[in-house]
Amino acid sequence: LVISIAAQIGLHITTVRFHLEQLENAGLIRREPTHGGHRGRPRVLFSITAAARNAEGHRQLAEVLADALSSDPDGGRVRAVAAGERWADANTEGLVLGPDNDAATPLVQVLDRLGFGPVLSGEGDDQAIELLACPFRDTAAAHPEVVCAVHWGLIQRTLTTFGHDGREATLLPFVQPELCMIPLHLAPLP
């Protein structure tokens, strides 16, 4: 099977084995040796795991929910922001402020925990978070009014939870095709 895959996609057999091993280690495929009554090594078949199938189900669910919310009179913004706030509430427990009461630290931790690939840059009042790996990028591209509003609710609630006015942060979706930004100009809550 590995030889067949290598031939079909034009890669060396060693490269294909490496990638199959990585997919197996990630839990996306399963190796199944089969003994067909032949002499020699058993034939190895690969099959997609339930976890990989779940990822497609999650993608479809996100798309259906975003589509349903977007039919609200406001394009789904109010309910999407509220959903993001609840999402933040479920993910901020146990986090603490960074040095000098820096609320960017727990926000980066929440975003990292959720798979956004955040990178914090800048200092003091001139900080920004780059989101390198939005786990909902495809759905966000189709329904930015809903998905980005959910993310905005998550950001705002997380910052507010840690004593900063979350309205001072901005979410800039798709500043590049694979990059969203959160410029932070954080002021403490009164």
Side-chain angles (χ1 to χ4, degrees):
L1 179 67
V2 175
I3 295 170
S4 174
I5 293 170
Q8 288 179 18
I9 60 175
L11 291 176
H12 190 275
I13 190 169
T14 305
T15 304
V16 171
R17 280 191 183 120
F18 169 79
H19 287 292
L20 288 171
E21 184 177 298
Q22 295 303 308
L23 290 170
E24 185 178 20
N25 290 341
L28 298 174
I29 62 171
R30 179 179 32 255
R31 178 187 307 258
E32 299 172 17
T34 61
H35 302 279
H38 301 94
R39 293 183 351 191
R41 293 171 135 190
R43 186 174 180 195
V44 177
L45 300 177
F46 294 91
S47 62
I48 192 166
T49 64
R53 286 191 289 274
N54 282 344
E56 176 60 18
H58 287 209
R59 188 200 60 74
Q60 289 177 2
L61 176 60
E63 182 70 30
V64 167
L65 291 172
D67 189 49
L69 282 174
S70 68
S71 67
D72 284 0
D74 70 343
R77 181 159 176 76
V78 170
R79 291 197 305 161
V81 169
E85 290 170 347
R86 288 190 299 275
W87 197 18
D89 292 343
N91 283 284
T92 54
E93 189 173 320
L95 299 178
V96 295
L97 287 170
D100 301 322
N101 293 323
D102 181 16
T105 299
L107 178 56
V108 168
Q109 290 172 342
V110 167
L111 293 168
D112 186 53
R113 182 183 291 175
L114 297 173
F116 286 89
V119 175
L120 180 63
S121 61
E123 294 182 9
D125 291 339
D126 192 29
Q127 291 182 314
I129 300 172
E130 296 179 358
L131 303 177
L132 304 176
C134 176
F136 304 99
R137 189 171 314 283
D138 292 339
T139 305
H143 299 284
E145 70 285 357
V146 173
V147 177
C148 296
V150 171
H151 297 162
W152 169 238
L154 171 77
I155 293 161
Q156 185 174 340
R157 178 62 65 92
T158 301
L159 292 171
T160 302
T161 297
F162 291 95
H164 288 273
D165 187 348
R167 296 170 298 181
E168 298 292 325
T170 307
L171 174 61
L172 303 175
F174 301 108
V175 294
Q176 293 178 8
E178 300 289 319
L179 177 67
C180 298
M181 297 279 298
I182 306 169
L184 300 171
H185 307 287
L186 301 177
L189 288 171

